């Protein structure tokens, strides 16, 4: 009740005061004329108190009962008093005003006839001394005034909503500008470091080569002076660029500032808490978490009409998690917009995941989980693309060039050229096709792994051949993907392979395990269909239930630890739980696993 009163606006207090004054006046009048009452005084006073309180409580908690209780209880009291005192019909005028002011959802279509026509007829019936048409005009005027007040309230609410939305959008744009400037500053610092630093270094080296050509001591002294000036200048430039690149707050400070600014502009309560000790994260990870929090706060106010948000930033050994929980109205069916999709893309680019849980009346919870290994993404991955089709080679280079950590060092048209380029370029990862002239991908993979075991080979083919995939894995291939893989997913798989993990396309790995052990196939129950759990998710859930750790599961299923965590997080979201222990308990109760 206190929370409801806190959200009241001036017109709520006006209507409460009007109701209170009218009811109090009516009760005092009844006490003063108690000799003329046909009912005991205490019954009439209790009736008056109920006429004041019950409709008002219904208006606060259950609007659909308000209009009926107003007319039945308060209107009934006025009819009773009018039967005894004909002038008492005026006591219902305030009620007519309040009924019109609180009519909503087109209820005025029946409240207007009931208030203006039916009640005057009832008053005329019980006290025929009153003129029926004059009574109609009184109640018509009271209803019109109440409806005008209702329109005023609606207009004020709309203006208030627009004002809040504008404040949220202004704060959102301000944050976008600040984040964009930070990204641009970081980009400029890197580019200037490369260009200016290279130019200074070239000049200094060039001047050093002139030393042997100078014969006079004066010339050598001038050269030394220029070299000293050049070295000093390059150090100053590097210092400035370092300040540009590192002049940023910690993640905790950035998110705390974002929450404070949002709270000030949007007029909502933002509670921020940190679990664990902060550690270093990459700029991409910080940016992803910042944008996730910004988008979540904005959506909570714009679409969920939330008044309070709790932001939890959790630093774990293996991952960093940001959770934003609001007290808004929630949704029956979640619909993803551009902002959520952008959040998910940023997280996927860091092998992370964004999940959304919402329920009508329980608000919305947005969770962004990033593996801690994401901080190493700034390390360049040297990539060699091998395919006999020029179009595919160039297309892959175009698609992968947009990822700053993936550097295409070479293109090969067959296995023989791939082996030669591996010897000369020493790439980190080879993206290898299978069917090629002169020397196929399978043979080239065997040679590469024999000569350079540290080079990771990711087979990238068109056909889903589980027998061939199994043979290639035995010969040293580190992964097996289909060419239908999305570019963003492909980039993530390349990073996983570079970290030293083994990876197999999901459908193909299932076929391999079916042939190795028929008993490992898990039946898909009707309950699993209800929660839309995939066979892979059920498989991982079964292994978690047996007590296996994520690292052990990754080894068993030829997946990375990050991929297993993503599957586990997806299971939690689908089952509506918050951790793996709750997921196992719910799956056992539902019969999804045994």
């Amino acid at each position: 009740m206190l929370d409801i009163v806190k959200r009241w606006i001036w017109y709520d207090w006006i209507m409460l005061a009007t109701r209170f004054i009218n009811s109090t006046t009516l009760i005092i009048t009844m006490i003063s004329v108690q000799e003329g009452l046909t009912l005991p005084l205490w019954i009439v006073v209790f009736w008056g108190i109920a006429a004041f309180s019950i409709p008002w409580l219904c208006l606060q908690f259950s609007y659909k009962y308000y209009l009926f209780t107003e007319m039945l209880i308060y209107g009934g009291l006025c009819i009773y008093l009018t039967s005894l005192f004909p002038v008492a019909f005026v006591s219902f005028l305030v009620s007519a005003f309040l009924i019109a002011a609180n009519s909503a959802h087109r209820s005025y279509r029946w409240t207007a006839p009931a208030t203006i026509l039916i009640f005057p007829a009832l008053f005329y019936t019980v006290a025929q001394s009153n003129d029926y048409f004059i009574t109609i005009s009184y109640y018509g005027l009271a209803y019109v005034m109440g409806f005008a007040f209702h329109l005023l309230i609606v207009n004020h609410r709309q203006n208030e909503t627009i004002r809040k939305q504008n404040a949220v959008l202004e704060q959102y744009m301000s944050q976008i500008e600040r984040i964009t400037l930070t990204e641009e500053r970081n980009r400029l610092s890197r580019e200037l470091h490369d260009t200016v630093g290279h130019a200074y270094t070239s000049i200094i080296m060039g001047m050093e080569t002139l030393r042997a050509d100078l014969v006079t001591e004066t010339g050598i002294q001038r050269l030394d002076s220029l070299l000293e000036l050049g070295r000093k200048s390059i150090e100053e430039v590097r210092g400035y660029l370092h300040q540009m690149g590192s002049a940023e707050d910690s993640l905790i400070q950035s998110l705390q500032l974002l929450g404070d600014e949002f709270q000030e502009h949007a007029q909502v309560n933002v509670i921020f808490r940190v679990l664990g000790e902060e550690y270093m994260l990459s700029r991409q990870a910080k940016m992803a978490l910042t944008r996730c929090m910004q988008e979540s706060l904005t959506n909570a106010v714009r679409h969920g009409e939330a008044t309070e948000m709790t932001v939890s930033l959790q630093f774990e050994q293996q991952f960093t998690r940001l959770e934003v929980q609001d007290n808004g109205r929630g949704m029956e069916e979640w619909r993803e917009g551009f902002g959520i999709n952008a959040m998910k893309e940023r997280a996927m680019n860091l092998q992370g995941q964004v999940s959304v849980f919402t329920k009508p009346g329980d608000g919305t919870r947005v969770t962004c989980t990033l593996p801690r290994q994401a901080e190493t993404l700034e390390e360049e991955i040297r990539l060699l693309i091998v395919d006999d089709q020029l179009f595919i080679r160039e297309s892959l280079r175009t698609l992968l060039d947009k990822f700053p950590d993936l550097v295409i060092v070479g293109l090969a048209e067959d296995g023989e050229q791939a082996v030669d380029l591996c010897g000369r370029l020493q790439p980190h990862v080879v993206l290898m096709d299978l069917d090629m002239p002169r020397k196929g991908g399978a043979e080239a993979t065997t040679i590469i792994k024999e000569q350079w075991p540290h080079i990771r080979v990711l087979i990238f083919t068109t056909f889903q051949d589980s027998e061939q995939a199994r043979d290639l894995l035995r010969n040293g291939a580190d992964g097996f993907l289909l060419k239908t893989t999305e570019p963003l997913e492909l980039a993530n798989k390349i990073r996983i392979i570079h970290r030293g993990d083994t990876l197999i396309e999901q459908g193909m790995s299932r076929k391999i395990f079916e042939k190795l052990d028929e008993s490992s196939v898990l039946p898909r129950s009707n309950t699993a269909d209800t929660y839309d759990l995939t066979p892979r998710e059920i498989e991982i859930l079964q292994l978690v239930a047996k007590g296996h750790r994520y690292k052990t599961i990754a080894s068993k299923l030829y997946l990375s630890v990050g991929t297993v965590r993503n599957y586990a997080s997806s299971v939690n979201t689908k089952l509506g739980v918050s951790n793996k222990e709750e997921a196992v308990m719910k799956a056992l109760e539902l019969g999804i696993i045994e």
Side-chain angles (χ1 to χ4, degrees), residues 10-37:
W10 55 268
Y11 47 77
D12 295 303
W13 291 104
I14 288 178
M15 286 194 286
L16 175 62
T18 302
R19 173 178 291 276
F20 179 78
I21 293 172
N22 184 59
S23 299
T24 303
T25 303
L26 186 62
I27 292 173
I28 293 174
T29 303
M30 288 188 298
I31 294 174
S32 64
V33 296
Q34 56 182 299
E35 292 81 2
L37 299 176

PDB file of all heavy atoms in Angstrom, residues 10-37:
ATOM      1  N   TRP A  10      -0.507  14.526  -8.104  1.00  0.00           N
ATOM      2  CA  TRP A  10      -1.375  15.518  -7.468  1.00  0.00           C
ATOM      3  C   TRP A  10      -2.859  15.203  -7.634  1.00  0.00           C
ATOM      4  O   TRP A  10      -3.654  15.421  -6.723  1.00  0.00           O
ATOM      5  CB  TRP A  10      -1.077  16.911  -8.032  1.00  0.00           C
ATOM      6  CG  TRP A  10      -1.163  17.012  -9.518  1.00  0.00           C
ATOM      7  CD1 TRP A  10      -0.164  16.841 -10.416  1.00  0.00           C
ATOM      8  CD2 TRP A  10      -2.343  17.305 -10.288  1.00  0.00           C
ATOM      9  NE1 TRP A  10      -0.613  16.999 -11.694  1.00  0.00           N
ATOM     10  CE2 TRP A  10      -1.953  17.301 -11.648  1.00  0.00           C
ATOM     11  CE3 TRP A  10      -3.674  17.581  -9.979  1.00  0.00           C
ATOM     12  CZ2 TRP A  10      -2.843  17.538 -12.689  1.00  0.00           C
ATOM     13  CZ3 TRP A  10      -4.573  17.828 -11.002  1.00  0.00           C
ATOM     14  CH2 TRP A  10      -4.157  17.804 -12.338  1.00  0.00           C
ATOM     15  N   TYR A  11      -3.257  14.652  -8.816  1.00  0.00           N
ATOM     16  CA  TYR A  11      -4.683  14.408  -9.013  1.00  0.00           C
ATOM     17  C   TYR A  11      -5.184  13.247  -8.144  1.00  0.00           C
ATOM     18  O   TYR A  11      -6.371  13.197  -7.795  1.00  0.00           O
ATOM     19  CB  TYR A  11      -5.005  14.148 -10.486  1.00  0.00           C
ATOM     20  CG  TYR A  11      -4.088  13.175 -11.188  1.00  0.00           C
ATOM     21  CD1 TYR A  11      -4.204  11.791 -10.996  1.00  0.00           C
ATOM     22  CD2 TYR A  11      -3.110  13.635 -12.065  1.00  0.00           C
ATOM     23  CE1 TYR A  11      -3.373  10.912 -11.643  1.00  0.00           C
ATOM     24  CE2 TYR A  11      -2.275  12.753 -12.717  1.00  0.00           C
ATOM     25  CZ  TYR A  11      -2.405  11.389 -12.506  1.00  0.00           C
ATOM     26  OH  TYR A  11      -1.572  10.517 -13.151  1.00  0.00           O
ATOM     27  N   ASP A  12      -4.314  12.302  -7.794  1.00  0.00           N
ATOM     28  CA  ASP A  12      -4.722  11.226  -6.882  1.00  0.00           C
ATOM     29  C   ASP A  12      -5.076  11.795  -5.501  1.00  0.00           C
ATOM     30  O   ASP A  12      -6.059  11.369  -4.864  1.00  0.00           O
ATOM     31  CB  ASP A  12      -3.606  10.189  -6.754  1.00  0.00           C
ATOM     32  CG  ASP A  12      -3.338   9.465  -8.059  1.00  0.00           C
ATOM     33  OD1 ASP A  12      -4.282   8.874  -8.604  1.00  0.00           O
ATOM     34  OD2 ASP A  12      -2.187   9.496  -8.538  1.00  0.00           O
ATOM     35  N   TRP A  13      -4.263  12.739  -5.043  1.00  0.00           N
ATOM     36  CA  TRP A  13      -4.529  13.361  -3.739  1.00  0.00           C
ATOM     37  C   TRP A  13      -5.807  14.208  -3.787  1.00  0.00           C
ATOM     38  O   TRP A  13      -6.574  14.268  -2.807  1.00  0.00           O
ATOM     39  CB  TRP A  13      -3.344  14.217  -3.320  1.00  0.00           C
ATOM     40  CG  TRP A  13      -2.122  13.407  -2.988  1.00  0.00           C
ATOM     41  CD1 TRP A  13      -1.004  13.250  -3.753  1.00  0.00           C
ATOM     42  CD2 TRP A  13      -1.914  12.636  -1.803  1.00  0.00           C
ATOM     43  NE1 TRP A  13      -0.113  12.423  -3.122  1.00  0.00           N
ATOM     44  CE2 TRP A  13      -0.639  12.030  -1.915  1.00  0.00           C
ATOM     45  CE3 TRP A  13      -2.670  12.390  -0.662  1.00  0.00           C
ATOM     46  CZ2 TRP A  13      -0.102  11.209  -0.938  1.00  0.00           C
ATOM     47  CZ3 TRP A  13      -2.148  11.562   0.322  1.00  0.00           C
ATOM     48  CH2 TRP A  13      -0.888  10.986   0.184  1.00  0.00           C
ATOM     49  N   ILE A  14      -6.058  14.878  -4.927  1.00  0.00           N
ATOM     50  CA  ILE A  14      -7.277  15.693  -5.058  1.00  0.00           C
ATOM     51  C   ILE A  14      -8.517  14.810  -4.947  1.00  0.00           C
ATOM     52  O   ILE A  14      -9.485  15.129  -4.223  1.00  0.00           O
ATOM     53  CB  ILE A  14      -7.271  16.456  -6.403  1.00  0.00           C
ATOM     54  CG1 ILE A  14      -6.232  17.588  -6.359  1.00  0.00           C
ATOM     55  CG2 ILE A  14      -8.658  17.020  -6.718  1.00  0.00           C
ATOM     56  CD1 ILE A  14      -6.111  18.357  -7.654  1.00  0.00           C
ATOM     57  N   MET A  15      -8.518  13.676  -5.644  1.00  0.00           N
ATOM     58  CA  MET A  15      -9.696  12.805  -5.603  1.00  0.00           C
ATOM     59  C   MET A  15      -9.873  12.153  -4.237  1.00  0.00           C
ATOM     60  O   MET A  15     -10.994  11.959  -3.775  1.00  0.00           O
ATOM     61  CB  MET A  15      -9.583  11.753  -6.713  1.00  0.00           C
ATOM     62  CG  MET A  15      -9.843  12.335  -8.098  1.00  0.00           C
ATOM     63  SD  MET A  15     -10.119  11.108  -9.376  1.00  0.00           S
ATOM     64  CE  MET A  15      -8.440  10.512  -9.578  1.00  0.00           C
ATOM     65  N   LEU A  16      -8.758  11.816  -3.554  1.00  0.00           N
ATOM     66  CA  LEU A  16      -8.871  11.262  -2.202  1.00  0.00           C
ATOM     67  C   LEU A  16      -9.451  12.311  -1.250  1.00  0.00           C
ATOM     68  O   LEU A  16     -10.337  12.007  -0.431  1.00  0.00           O
ATOM     69  CB  LEU A  16      -7.509  10.788  -1.709  1.00  0.00           C
ATOM     70  CG  LEU A  16      -7.472  10.293  -0.256  1.00  0.00           C
ATOM     71  CD1 LEU A  16      -8.379   9.076  -0.079  1.00  0.00           C
ATOM     72  CD2 LEU A  16      -6.050   9.973   0.176  1.00  0.00           C
ATOM     73  N   ALA A  17      -8.936  13.538  -1.364  1.00  0.00           N
ATOM     74  CA  ALA A  17      -9.440  14.611  -0.489  1.00  0.00           C
ATOM     75  C   ALA A  17     -10.922  14.883  -0.752  1.00  0.00           C
ATOM     76  O   ALA A  17     -11.717  15.083   0.189  1.00  0.00           O
ATOM     77  CB  ALA A  17      -8.619  15.882  -0.702  1.00  0.00           C
ATOM     78  N   THR A  18     -11.322  14.878  -2.031  1.00  0.00           N
ATOM     79  CA  THR A  18     -12.727  15.110  -2.382  1.00  0.00           C
ATOM     80  C   THR A  18     -13.617  14.019  -1.790  1.00  0.00           C
ATOM     81  O   THR A  18     -14.674  14.294  -1.206  1.00  0.00           O
ATOM     82  CB  THR A  18     -12.886  15.150  -3.911  1.00  0.00           C
ATOM     83  OG1 THR A  18     -12.049  16.171  -4.440  1.00  0.00           O
ATOM     84  CG2 THR A  18     -14.329  15.414  -4.290  1.00  0.00           C
ATOM     85  N   ARG A  19     -13.189  12.769  -1.944  1.00  0.00           N
ATOM     86  CA  ARG A  19     -13.951  11.648  -1.393  1.00  0.00           C
ATOM     87  C   ARG A  19     -14.041  11.733   0.128  1.00  0.00           C
ATOM     88  O   ARG A  19     -15.102  11.502   0.724  1.00  0.00           O
ATOM     89  CB  ARG A  19     -13.302  10.339  -1.827  1.00  0.00           C
ATOM     90  CG  ARG A  19     -13.906   9.109  -1.172  1.00  0.00           C
ATOM     91  CD  ARG A  19     -13.250   7.844  -1.695  1.00  0.00           C
ATOM     92  NE  ARG A  19     -13.607   7.644  -3.071  1.00  0.00           N
ATOM     93  CZ  ARG A  19     -14.719   7.062  -3.485  1.00  0.00           C
ATOM     94  NH1 ARG A  19     -15.617   6.663  -2.580  1.00  0.00           N
ATOM     95  NH2 ARG A  19     -14.976   6.909  -4.748  1.00  0.00           N
ATOM     96  N   PHE A  20     -12.904  12.053   0.766  1.00  0.00           N
ATOM     97  CA  PHE A  20     -12.868  12.110   2.233  1.00  0.00           C
ATOM     98  C   PHE A  20     -13.793  13.214   2.765  1.00  0.00           C
ATOM     99  O   PHE A  20     -14.564  12.999   3.711  1.00  0.00           O
ATOM    100  CB  PHE A  20     -11.435  12.335   2.712  1.00  0.00           C
ATOM    101  CG  PHE A  20     -11.304  12.430   4.201  1.00  0.00           C
ATOM    102  CD1 PHE A  20     -11.334  11.290   4.993  1.00  0.00           C
ATOM    103  CD2 PHE A  20     -11.163  13.671   4.822  1.00  0.00           C
ATOM    104  CE1 PHE A  20     -11.234  11.382   6.371  1.00  0.00           C
ATOM    105  CE2 PHE A  20     -11.058  13.769   6.196  1.00  0.00           C
ATOM    106  CZ  PHE A  20     -11.085  12.614   6.975  1.00  0.00           C
ATOM    107  N   ILE A  21     -13.714  14.406   2.157  1.00  0.00           N
ATOM    108  CA  ILE A  21     -14.541  15.535   2.618  1.00  0.00           C
ATOM    109  C   ILE A  21     -16.019  15.208   2.422  1.00  0.00           C
ATOM    110  O   ILE A  21     -16.859  15.453   3.303  1.00  0.00           O
ATOM    111  CB  ILE A  21     -14.150  16.827   1.869  1.00  0.00           C
ATOM    112  CG1 ILE A  21     -12.726  17.252   2.268  1.00  0.00           C
ATOM    113  CG2 ILE A  21     -15.154  17.942   2.160  1.00  0.00           C
ATOM    114  CD1 ILE A  21     -12.187  18.388   1.439  1.00  0.00           C
ATOM    115  N   ASN A  22     -16.373  14.652   1.260  1.00  0.00           N
ATOM    116  CA  ASN A  22     -17.773  14.334   0.984  1.00  0.00           C
ATOM    117  C   ASN A  22     -18.306  13.272   1.950  1.00  0.00           C
ATOM    118  O   ASN A  22     -19.414  13.409   2.504  1.00  0.00           O
ATOM    119  CB  ASN A  22     -17.900  13.848  -0.454  1.00  0.00           C
ATOM    120  CG  ASN A  22     -19.353  13.600  -0.848  1.00  0.00           C
ATOM    121  OD1 ASN A  22     -20.180  14.508  -0.792  1.00  0.00           O
ATOM    122  ND2 ASN A  22     -19.662  12.366  -1.228  1.00  0.00           N
ATOM    123  N   SER A  23     -17.510  12.210   2.184  1.00  0.00           N
ATOM    124  CA  SER A  23     -17.965  11.138   3.086  1.00  0.00           C
ATOM    125  C   SER A  23     -18.055  11.629   4.519  1.00  0.00           C
ATOM    126  O   SER A  23     -19.007  11.291   5.258  1.00  0.00           O
ATOM    127  CB  SER A  23     -17.011   9.942   2.987  1.00  0.00           C
ATOM    128  OG  SER A  23     -16.987   9.416   1.674  1.00  0.00           O
ATOM    129  N   THR A  24     -17.077  12.424   4.947  1.00  0.00           N
ATOM    130  CA  THR A  24     -17.096  12.946   6.314  1.00  0.00           C
ATOM    131  C   THR A  24     -18.310  13.848   6.540  1.00  0.00           C
ATOM    132  O   THR A  24     -18.996  13.763   7.579  1.00  0.00           O
ATOM    133  CB  THR A  24     -15.801  13.727   6.603  1.00  0.00           C
ATOM    134  OG1 THR A  24     -14.681  12.871   6.373  1.00  0.00           O
ATOM    135  CG2 THR A  24     -15.772  14.223   8.037  1.00  0.00           C
ATOM    136  N   THR A  25     -18.594  14.715   5.558  1.00  0.00           N
ATOM    137  CA  THR A  25     -19.760  15.607   5.659  1.00  0.00           C
ATOM    138  C   THR A  25     -21.048  14.801   5.735  1.00  0.00           C
ATOM    139  O   THR A  25     -21.962  15.117   6.524  1.00  0.00           O
ATOM    140  CB  THR A  25     -19.801  16.555   4.447  1.00  0.00           C
ATOM    141  OG1 THR A  25     -18.573  17.280   4.382  1.00  0.00           O
ATOM    142  CG2 THR A  25     -20.965  17.522   4.555  1.00  0.00           C
ATOM    143  N   LEU A  26     -21.108  13.732   4.921  1.00  0.00           N
ATOM    144  CA  LEU A  26     -22.311  12.907   4.913  1.00  0.00           C
ATOM    145  C   LEU A  26     -22.519  12.201   6.252  1.00  0.00           C
ATOM    146  O   LEU A  26     -23.631  12.147   6.783  1.00  0.00           O
ATOM    147  CB  LEU A  26     -22.211  11.891   3.775  1.00  0.00           C
ATOM    148  CG  LEU A  26     -23.454  11.033   3.515  1.00  0.00           C
ATOM    149  CD1 LEU A  26     -24.628  11.915   3.105  1.00  0.00           C
ATOM    150  CD2 LEU A  26     -23.175   9.996   2.433  1.00  0.00           C
ATOM    151  N   ILE A  27     -21.445  11.680   6.842  1.00  0.00           N
ATOM    152  CA  ILE A  27     -21.548  10.978   8.133  1.00  0.00           C
ATOM    153  C   ILE A  27     -21.945  11.949   9.238  1.00  0.00           C
ATOM    154  O   ILE A  27     -22.805  11.639  10.089  1.00  0.00           O
ATOM    155  CB  ILE A  27     -20.215  10.281   8.453  1.00  0.00           C
ATOM    156  CG1 ILE A  27     -19.973   9.124   7.473  1.00  0.00           C
ATOM    157  CG2 ILE A  27     -20.210   9.754   9.886  1.00  0.00           C
ATOM    158  CD1 ILE A  27     -18.604   8.480   7.613  1.00  0.00           C
ATOM    159  N   ILE A  28     -21.375  13.151   9.241  1.00  0.00           N
ATOM    160  CA  ILE A  28     -21.733  14.158  10.264  1.00  0.00           C
ATOM    161  C   ILE A  28     -23.203  14.552  10.137  1.00  0.00           C
ATOM    162  O   ILE A  28     -23.927  14.704  11.134  1.00  0.00           O
ATOM    163  CB  ILE A  28     -20.808  15.387  10.130  1.00  0.00           C
ATOM    164  CG1 ILE A  28     -19.365  15.010  10.495  1.00  0.00           C
ATOM    165  CG2 ILE A  28     -21.302  16.520  11.021  1.00  0.00           C
ATOM    166  CD1 ILE A  28     -18.359  16.124  10.250  1.00  0.00           C
ATOM    167  N   THR A  29     -23.651  14.681   8.884  1.00  0.00           N
ATOM    168  CA  THR A  29     -25.061  15.034   8.656  1.00  0.00           C
ATOM    169  C   THR A  29     -25.990  13.936   9.169  1.00  0.00           C
ATOM    170  O   THR A  29     -27.039  14.209   9.787  1.00  0.00           O
ATOM    171  CB  THR A  29     -25.309  15.282   7.156  1.00  0.00           C
ATOM    172  OG1 THR A  29     -24.430  16.304   6.700  1.00  0.00           O
ATOM    173  CG2 THR A  29     -26.757  15.702   6.908  1.00  0.00           C
ATOM    174  N   MET A  30     -25.616  12.678   8.920  1.00  0.00           N
ATOM    175  CA  MET A  30     -26.445  11.566   9.384  1.00  0.00           C
ATOM    176  C   MET A  30     -26.512  11.535  10.909  1.00  0.00           C
ATOM    177  O   MET A  30     -27.553  11.239  11.505  1.00  0.00           O
ATOM    178  CB  MET A  30     -25.888  10.245   8.845  1.00  0.00           C
ATOM    179  CG  MET A  30     -26.120  10.055   7.347  1.00  0.00           C
ATOM    180  SD  MET A  30     -25.659   8.413   6.765  1.00  0.00           S
ATOM    181  CE  MET A  30     -23.906   8.389   7.129  1.00  0.00           C
ATOM    182  N   ILE A  31     -25.399  11.837  11.556  1.00  0.00           N
ATOM    183  CA  ILE A  31     -25.404  11.855  13.022  1.00  0.00           C
ATOM    184  C   ILE A  31     -26.310  12.967  13.547  1.00  0.00           C
ATOM    185  O   ILE A  31     -27.040  12.806  14.545  1.00  0.00           O
ATOM    186  CB  ILE A  31     -23.964  12.023  13.549  1.00  0.00           C
ATOM    187  CG1 ILE A  31     -23.122  10.788  13.184  1.00  0.00           C
ATOM    188  CG2 ILE A  31     -23.954  12.242  15.056  1.00  0.00           C
ATOM    189  CD1 ILE A  31     -21.655  10.922  13.529  1.00  0.00           C
ATOM    190  N   SER A  32     -26.310  14.108  12.847  1.00  0.00           N
ATOM    191  CA  SER A  32     -27.118  15.256  13.318  1.00  0.00           C
ATOM    192  C   SER A  32     -28.609  15.029  13.123  1.00  0.00           C
ATOM    193  O   SER A  32     -29.434  15.644  13.816  1.00  0.00           O
ATOM    194  CB  SER A  32     -26.684  16.530  12.592  1.00  0.00           C
ATOM    195  OG  SER A  32     -26.951  16.415  11.204  1.00  0.00           O
ATOM    196  N   VAL A  33     -28.988  14.163  12.174  1.00  0.00           N
ATOM    197  CA  VAL A  33     -30.417  13.912  11.929  1.00  0.00           C
ATOM    198  C   VAL A  33     -30.782  12.470  12.273  1.00  0.00           C
ATOM    199  O   VAL A  33     -31.668  11.876  11.662  1.00  0.00           O
ATOM    200  CB  VAL A  33     -30.776  14.206  10.447  1.00  0.00           C
ATOM    201  CG1 VAL A  33     -30.577  15.676  10.134  1.00  0.00           C
ATOM    202  CG2 VAL A  33     -29.958  13.338   9.503  1.00  0.00           C
ATOM    203  N   GLN A  34     -30.081  11.904  13.250  1.00  0.00           N
ATOM    204  CA  GLN A  34     -30.262  10.489  13.567  1.00  0.00           C
ATOM    205  C   GLN A  34     -31.698  10.157  13.985  1.00  0.00           C
ATOM    206  O   GLN A  34     -32.140   9.011  13.860  1.00  0.00           O
ATOM    207  CB  GLN A  34     -29.288  10.063  14.657  1.00  0.00           C
ATOM    208  CG  GLN A  34     -29.365  10.886  15.937  1.00  0.00           C
ATOM    209  CD  GLN A  34     -28.349  10.441  16.961  1.00  0.00           C
ATOM    210  OE1 GLN A  34     -28.389   9.301  17.386  1.00  0.00           O
ATOM    211  NE2 GLN A  34     -27.454  11.337  17.340  1.00  0.00           N
ATOM    212  N   GLU A  35     -32.469  11.165  14.499  1.00  0.00           N
ATOM    213  CA  GLU A  35     -33.829  10.850  14.929  1.00  0.00           C
ATOM    214  C   GLU A  35     -34.717  10.430  13.756  1.00  0.00           C
ATOM    215  O   GLU A  35     -35.690   9.680  13.923  1.00  0.00           O
ATOM    216  CB  GLU A  35     -34.467  12.071  15.620  1.00  0.00           C
ATOM    217  CG  GLU A  35     -33.842  12.438  16.951  1.00  0.00           C
ATOM    218  CD  GLU A  35     -32.569  13.254  16.776  1.00  0.00           C
ATOM    219  OE1 GLU A  35     -32.230  13.556  15.593  1.00  0.00           O
ATOM    220  OE2 GLU A  35     -31.902  13.567  17.765  1.00  0.00           O
ATOM    221  N   GLY A  36     -34.398  10.904  12.573  1.00  0.00           N
ATOM    222  CA  GLY A  36     -35.232  10.578  11.423  1.00  0.00           C
ATOM    223  C   GLY A  36     -34.831   9.307  10.708  1.00  0.00           C
ATOM    224  O   GLY A  36     -35.448   8.926   9.703  1.00  0.00           O
ATOM    225  N   LEU A  37     -33.783   8.643  11.170  1.00  0.00           N
ATOM    226  CA  LEU A  37     -33.303   7.431  10.503  1.00  0.00           C
ATOM    227  C   LEU A  37     -34.164   6.236  10.890  1.00  0.00           C
ATOM    228  O   LEU A  37     -34.594   6.111  12.051  1.00  0.00           O
ATOM    229  CB  LEU A  37     -31.842   7.162  10.867  1.00  0.00           C
ATOM    230  CG  LEU A  37     -30.825   8.244  10.470  1.00  0.00           C
ATOM    231  CD1 LEU A  37     -29.443   7.883  10.993  1.00  0.00           C
ATOM    232  CD2 LEU A  37     -30.793   8.424   8.956  1.00  0.00           C
TER     233      LEU A  37
END
